[in-house]
């Protein structure tokens, strides 16, 4: 079956750096997405990886290793508004599989 | 404004009473899909559609129906809702010109079945 694993919850301090890991086991692989979801809101797109390596987008970076079935999202210079859930999703052909999300608490 | 619009935002119904949740996008996206989100389980795909009249099952299709008669609309139908379908539902669309098209989500529909 398809399996996407993420830590349930993490806490970090404002201004710090945090890394959210995601491991996956899927039948196929057509890309990995990271989404941010604030409480009570819709998920919004953060980043996409399909090749191994690091993709950087401002304060957010995402890394992928296809051989290890592993990705991480790196958030730098944390701000209070980064408190949210972060969802890892794998596209397998025309289907999407999501992890259960990592709730990030940013404290002052 | 480019968006995915779902209606209603909140819905309380009783077991067995047919209901439809509407979803519409104004971005000319080819791919549309429905998800349910439950605590501890994350988002699970119910159905998806690659284009008009082309639909297929996702991970948890039992108890749901969809149709794609027009490109912009993708309604979710629960013919006989049961309490285990109480959940938060999201519709999403993407351009799908290649696998890197991200999903754009609607604001969600919170459904309670008593």
């Amino acid at each position: 079956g398809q399996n996407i694993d993420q830590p349930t919850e993490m806490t970090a301090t404002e201004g710090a750096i945090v890394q959210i890991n995601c491991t996956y086991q899927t039948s196929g692989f057509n890309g990995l997405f990271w989404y941010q979801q604030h409480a009570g809101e819709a998920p919004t797109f953060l980043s996409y990886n399909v090749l191994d390596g690091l993709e950087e987008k401002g304060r957010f970076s995402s890394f992928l290793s296809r051989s290890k079935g592993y990705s991480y999202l790196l958030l730098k210079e944390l701000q209070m508004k980064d408190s949210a859930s972060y969802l890892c999703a794998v596209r397998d052909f025309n289907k999407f599989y999501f992890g259960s999300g990592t709730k990030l608490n940013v404290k002052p | 404004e480019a968006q995915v619009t779902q209606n209603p935002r909140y819905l309380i119904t009783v077991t067995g009473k047919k209901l439809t949740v509407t979803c519409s996008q104004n971005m000319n996206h080819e791919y549309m899909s429905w998800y349910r989100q439950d605590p501890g389980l994350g988002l699970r795909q119910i159905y998806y559609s690659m284009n008009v009249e082309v639909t297929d099952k996702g991970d948890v299709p039992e108890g749901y129906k969809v149709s794609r008669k027009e490109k912009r609309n993708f309604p979710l139908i629960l013919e006989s809702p049961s309490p285990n379908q109480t959940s938060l539902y999201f519709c999403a669309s993407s351009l799908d010109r290649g696998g890197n098209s991200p999903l754009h989500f609607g604001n969600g529909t919170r459904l309670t079945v008593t």
Side-chain angles (χ1 to χ4, degrees):
Chain A
Q2 323 295 340
N3 199 42
I4 318 279
D5 281 321
Q6 307 178 230
T8 303
E9 193 163 356
M10 300 179 70
T11 300
T13 305
E14 193 176 15
I17 299 172
V18 71
Q19 177 175 312
I20 302 174
N21 295 326
C22 171
T23 57
Y24 64 90
Q25 288 177 301
T26 54
S27 308
F29 181 84
N30 295 99
L32 188 142
F33 296 81
W34 283 95
Y35 291 87
Q36 180 189 61
Q37 185 178 26
H38 284 100
E41 297 183 9
T44 55
F45 170 70
L46 286 177
S47 70
Y48 169 78
N49 296 74
V50 68
L51 300 176
D52 290 355
L54 190 68
E55 293 284 340
E56 297 189 78
K57 255 181 156 184
R59 292 191 300 116
F60 296 81
S61 305
S62 57
F63 172 84
L64 175 67
S65 168
R66 287 171 298 169
S67 62
K68 293 191 169 104
Y70 168 69
S71 174
Y72 67 72
L73 180 69
L74 196 70
L75 292 77
K76 303 174 194 169
E77 300 167 16
L78 278 174
Q79 302 175 9
M80 297 300 293
K81 68 178 182 180
D82 296 329
S83 291
S85 288
Y86 291 86
L87 316 180
C88 171
V90 171
R91 181 166 184 166
D92 177 359
F93 193 48
N94 291 321
K95 293 187 176 182
F96 286 85
Y97 297 96
F98 284 79
S100 53
T102 299
K103 185 179 179 186
L104 176 65
N105 303 303
V106 180
K107 58 181 187 179
Chain B
E1 182 191 348
Q3 59 186 2
V4 178
T5 303
Q6 283 179 238
N7 280 298
R9 288 295 306 276
Y10 300 92
L11 181 56
I12 301 173
T13 190
V14 296
T15 299
K17 186 175 180 182
K18 181 179 178 180
L19 66 92
T20 299
V21 184
T22 63
C23 174
S24 181
Q25 50 92 7
N26 63 0
M27 296 171 279
N28 201 35
H29 283 174
E30 293 180 356
Y31 185 95
M32 297 187 75
S33 52
W34 276 102
Y35 303 83
R36 59 178 291 174
Q37 187 172 36
D38 302 290
L41 295 177
L43 282 160
R44 292 180 292 167
Q45 192 173 44
I46 302 170
Y47 268 96
Y48 65 92
S49 169
M50 294 300 296
N51 214 323
V52 175
E53 302 292 3
V54 181
T55 64
D56 211 340
K57 295 177 181 177
D59 227 19
V60 288
E62 294 78 21
Y64 304 95
K65 282 176 58 177
V66 293
S67 69
R68 187 95 181 268
K69 293 185 170 55
E70 306 163 285
K71 196 170 186 177
R72 63 183 291 129
N73 296 324
F74 190 47
L76 179 70
I77 303 154
L78 284 73
E79 299 240 329
S80 184
S82 62
N84 64 12
Q85 292 178 299
T86 292
S87 187
L88 178 59
Y89 290 87
F90 286 102
C91 178
S93 71
S94 79
L95 197 56
D96 202 48
R97 298 284 165 81
N100 63 345
S101 302
L103 292 167
H104 298 258
F105 286 86
N107 285 331
T109 296
R110 189 166 289 282
L111 172 65
T112 303
V113 184
T114 60

